[in-house]
Amino acid sequence: MKLGTSGLNTAPIALGCMRMNDLNKLEALRVIETSKEAGITLFDHADIYGAGTSEEVFAAALKESVVKREDIILQSKCGIRNGFFDFSKQHILSSVDGILERLQTDYLDVLLLHRPDSLMEPEEVAEAFHQLKESGKVRHFGVSNHQPYQIDLLKQYVKEDLIINQLQFSLMHTPLLDASLNLNMQNRESVVRDAGVLPYSQLNGMTVQAWSPFQFGMIEGVFIDNPAYPDVNKALQEVAETHNVSKSAIAIAWILRHPAGIQAVIGSMNPDRIRSISEAQSVKLSREEWYGLYRAAGNNLP
């Protein structure tokens, strides 16, 4: 798949490195190489993951790996500080310098602004992005957890394309879909919680990256094999047996089936699980399977 309007091509699954600070260098090396063998080339970081140590562990492991820097896409995020958000020019520039130092690289392929900053001055963001682009420190830009009008506000000032919006999305967390399927209804599913960001992304050529693809609620827990969710697990098992893959792979295949071209960001640090989940890339669910899973997750159709 292509990332947004950029020339970057990658697999429909990316690896989120939030938990990499829990690994030693050898374990991280296995995760990186297993991911690359499975076709995963985009590695997603943030300056707050492990207070920066996740980036350091990744860099130390990559240095010992057969995987080359130029063969992967390094993405990181900034903007979250201790109890508040900061999209000031100074903070963005200093954050990127810290990220590059920890990742031991001269450039980021993609920089995302993390959660929205209500005190954002878009002129400052534009100046920071332009300086980072001109210096070669960052090649592409995007956002995370932003709604359409926030993105449009940035676009009034930022000259560079915004190619990605990273949003929470899973079979058990579907606000991106619910209201559009329940237009003009008076049920709970009709409440607009997403500001129409999914069709907005499609119309504007932005790639949606789905984070926490195995979580329910606001990262309250994993729904796979969770006894609190027997219906969705039963449905996942049935579809998994049909396609001869794991339930986790089907949960990812459900995300990938959407025509918006969503990229799933998985966070596993288990090489066997990464290989198993990556089999989702060879599965295309039928409409019956896709809607069946959506309904098994507790959603009603009008």
Side-chain angles (χ1 to χ4, degrees):
M1 64 177 290
K2 186 172 73 170
L3 288 176
T5 55
S6 75
L8 295 175
N9 291 292
T10 186
I13 295 177
L15 187 77
C17 298
M18 184 173 69
R19 298 182 181 88
M20 193 159 277
N21 64 311
D22 294 331
L23 309 183
N24 60 41
K25 185 169 68 174
L26 180 59
E27 291 169 334
L29 176 64
R30 288 186 60 214
V31 166
I32 293 169
E33 295 188 343
T34 298
S35 298
K36 186 65 165 57
E37 289 166 6
I40 295 171
T41 56
L42 191 150
F43 296 87
D44 174 68
H45 295 270
D47 56 1
I48 63 167
Y49 292 167
T53 57
S54 289
E55 291 172 329
E56 291 172 346
V57 171
F58 180 92
L62 185 64
K63 193 174 182 180
E64 304 295 327
S65 174
V66 297
V67 177
K68 303 302 180 186
R69 166 66 183 94
E70 58 269 22
D71 295 331
I72 63 174
I73 296 170
L74 281 182
Q75 172 178 292
S76 195
K77 303 181 286 292
C78 71
I80 297 179
R81 299 185 67 177
N82 296 326
F84 63 99
F85 307 124
D86 189 348
F87 286 179
S88 66
K89 177 181 177 181
Q90 179 181 0
H91 181 69
I92 293 172
L93 294 177
S94 63
S95 294
V96 169
D97 285 341
I99 290 167
L100 295 178
E101 182 179 356
R102 290 189 295 273
L103 285 174
Q104 298 180 37
T105 185
D106 296 327
Y107 68 96
L108 279 179
D109 294 285
V110 187
L111 174 71
L112 305 183
L113 297 176
H114 224 151
R115 291 197 172 272
D117 174 16
S118 291
L119 300 182
M120 175 188 74
E121 297 181 51
E123 302 93 335
E124 286 201 26
V125 175
E127 290 174 8
F129 281 9
H130 182 69
Q131 187 170 325
L132 290 169
K133 179 78 170 182
E134 289 295 301
S135 67
K137 291 181 179 180
V138 179
R139 296 185 174 179
H140 301 280
F141 300 88
V143 296
S144 179
N145 307 299
H146 279 57
Q147 53 107 311
Y149 281 117
Q150 292 168 328
I151 297 169
D152 281 344
L153 177 60
L154 278 169
K155 284 182 175 181
Q156 289 292 311
Y157 299 88
V158 173
K159 296 179 181 179
E160 293 76 20
D161 286 347
L162 300 176
I163 67 169
I164 288 168
N165 192 3
Q166 199 172 92
L167 301 161
Q168 186 180 4
F169 184 51
S170 76
L171 181 56
M172 293 295 295
H173 184 89
T174 56
L176 292 182
L177 304 173
D178 299 337
S180 63
L181 287 168
N182 290 269
L183 181 66
N184 202 31
M185 304 288 287
Q186 293 184 322
N187 52 13
R188 63 177 177 82
E189 291 89 354
S190 67
V191 177
V192 177
R193 306 176 194 278
D194 69 322
V197 70
L198 190 54
Y200 173 91
S201 301
Q202 291 177 266
L203 285 167
N204 288 273
M206 294 183 75
T207 293
V208 169
Q209 291 181 332
W211 57 268
S212 289
F214 302 114
Q215 296 278 335
F216 62 89
M218 180 59 181
I219 59 174
E220 294 169 25
V222 175
F223 61 84
I224 302 290
D225 293 328
N226 188 327
Y229 299 99
D231 292 342
V232 72
N233 276 283
K234 181 176 182 290
L236 283 167
Q237 184 62 43
E238 291 171 354
V239 179
E241 289 174 358
T242 298
H243 292 275
N244 196 31
V245 296
S246 67
K247 286 191 285 187
S248 294
I250 294 300
I252 295 298
W254 185 85
I255 293 171
L256 303 185
R257 178 63 175 83
H258 195 280
I262 299 170
Q263 184 178 46
V265 183
I266 65 172
S268 177
M269 295 290 105
N270 182 314
D272 291 336
R273 182 163 163 75
I274 292 170
R275 277 189 286 266
S276 173
I277 294 170
S278 296
E279 292 179 351
Q281 297 170 113
S282 63
V283 174
K284 184 171 182 179
L285 301 179
S286 67
R287 272 183 163 78
E288 290 83 359
E289 289 171 328
W290 192 89
Y291 278 107
L293 289 166
Y294 180 75
R295 295 181 70 174
N299 298 298
N300 297 317
L301 292 175

